[in-house]
Amino acid sequence: MASHRKSRPTGPRVAGIRTPALATAALTSVALLSQTANATPSDDDRPSLEEVEKKVDDLYRQAGSATEKYNAAKEKTAKQRKKVDTLLDDVARRTQRLNDAREELGSFASAQYRTGTAVPETATFLLADSPQEYFDQNQLMGRLTGRQKTAVDDYVTQQSETMEKRREATESLETLTGAQNDLKTAKSTVQKKLATARELLSRLTAEEKARLAAIEKKKQEEAARKAAELAEQQAEERERREEAARQESGGTSSGAPEAGGSGSSGSSTPDPSYGTKADKALAFARAQIGKPYVWGATGPGSYDCSGLTQAAWKAAGVTLPRVTYDQVNAGTTVPVSQALPGDLVFFYDDLSHVGLYIGNGMMIHAPKPGAYVREESIYYDGESSIHSVVRPA
């Protein structure tokens, strides 16, 4: 039977007639409602918007990590395939020379038999493990001329070298198969992570997508604020260095900026030519803004993160490795506060992302699937996401 009692107020105030247990339950309910005001799951147990955002971000990072593994496996596969092709060509040439030498030695054996009573068996010679063994068994070595003995020795050497090359080619083929399997695994991992992320995003309502965009905008505003703080810190440090330089030179100073342009800092002075090379790398990177991120891509129509940084520095005449966890070792590590335009900024503990620093706390990078090459704060995913800064060349 339905109750006809009036409902009591649901505010935080606890009425004196309530028992302590009921009061505690009421306060707990209020707290829970407050905590989930912006993250309440729907009736069908769908994850909250915040849970979706975190899951999607995690999936993109995992896809980025798998992409770098894919890039490494792809590079290894290409190199190994080239090595295998070279070895197989070498083995083919050696085998042909070996066959030609075997035929010549067969004619030597036939010639020696002509003065004896035995009938030469060319098939026996061709099936022998070694021509040396064949001639010894038939007591022919002592009857061969110097040139013929040299031919036998050369044949034995060629046979040994050819067998070694065949063994090396077999091992290289096995390595190639392993690299191809790694490539398939990495590719499958990337595809699965991205498919899961797309599926999660496709389930969002229009309202949820709008809220997610608002959350992202707030993150970008915070990242921009942190970038401005870094720019200010670098400017103050630059002024201190310039003042110190003026005092050391007796008050005369041109006030010319250091290599690297505005927003630069760094007591770890780079090579004088670094600024020129960095300008070329940055000019290339800026020209790629607006091109889509495609995992595994190295240009010119699309890029992934390490593909962009590699291509940018290549334009400056500097060769960087293909993947992030090799690029991080291709230069000198410097503090974030001393980053110069052109430096590489690496992210996350697994080094799954990299961008090209342009000064004032900003970078150019290829962010993730569905996005385009763009300028963005190096704090785009929070200060803790920055792993290190490396100055190439």
Side-chain angles (χ1 to χ4, degrees), residues 238-307:
R238 187 167 60 253
E239 288 177 2
R240 285 196 298 270
R241 290 198 313 276
E242 291 173 354
E243 177 62 27
R246 282 193 294 269
Q247 293 178 359
E248 289 178 1
S249 61
T252 59
S253 174
S254 63
E258 296 183 7
S262 64
S264 66
S265 174
S267 56
S268 54
T269 306
D271 181 278
S273 65
Y274 182 77
T276 302
K277 294 176 181 177
D279 287 343
K280 291 180 180 178
L282 290 172
F284 179 92
R286 287 193 176 95
Q288 312 314 308
I289 291 176
K291 293 183 179 180
Y293 173 102
V294 174
W295 64 274
T298 56
S302 58
Y303 297 89
D304 63 16
C305 64
S306 57

Side-chain angles (χ1 to χ4, degrees), residues 303-353:
Y303 297 89
D304 63 16
C305 64
S306 57
L308 176 64
T309 51
Q310 183 189 47
W313 271 103
K314 183 179 180 180
V318 177
T319 301
L320 291 182
R322 173 65 181 94
V323 296
T324 53
Y325 41 81
D326 288 331
Q327 288 184 6
V328 76
N329 296 316
T332 304
T333 301
V334 298
V336 175
S337 62
Q338 296 178 12
L340 292 176
D343 290 353
L344 304 176
V345 186
F346 294 89
F347 297 86
Y348 314 117
D349 291 339
D350 61 357
L351 299 169
S352 57
H353 191 63

Side-chain angles (χ1 to χ4, degrees), residues 101-175:
R102 184 181 283 269
E103 290 178 7
E104 183 179 2
L105 292 177
S107 66
F108 291 165
S110 298
Q112 294 300 325
Y113 268 113
R114 289 173 190 156
T115 59
T117 56
V119 178
E121 297 181 5
T122 304
T124 302
F125 171 74
L126 294 176
L127 293 175
D129 291 334
S130 164
Q132 179 88 37
E133 178 184 352
Y134 174 82
F135 281 106
D136 284 341
Q137 288 175 350
N138 291 277
Q139 300 178 346
L140 293 175
M141 283 300 292
R143 297 161 60 187
L144 295 178
T145 66
R147 185 177 70 84
Q148 292 170 340
K149 287 180 179 179
T150 299
V152 171
D153 291 339
D154 288 345
Y155 179 90
V156 172
T157 300
Q158 287 186 43
Q159 186 181 50
S160 176
E161 291 177 350
T162 301
M163 291 177 65
E164 176 61 24
K165 287 296 180 180
R166 285 174 178 169
R167 182 194 62 78
E168 188 177 346
T170 299
E171 291 180 353
S172 293
L173 280 169
E174 292 175 353
T175 302

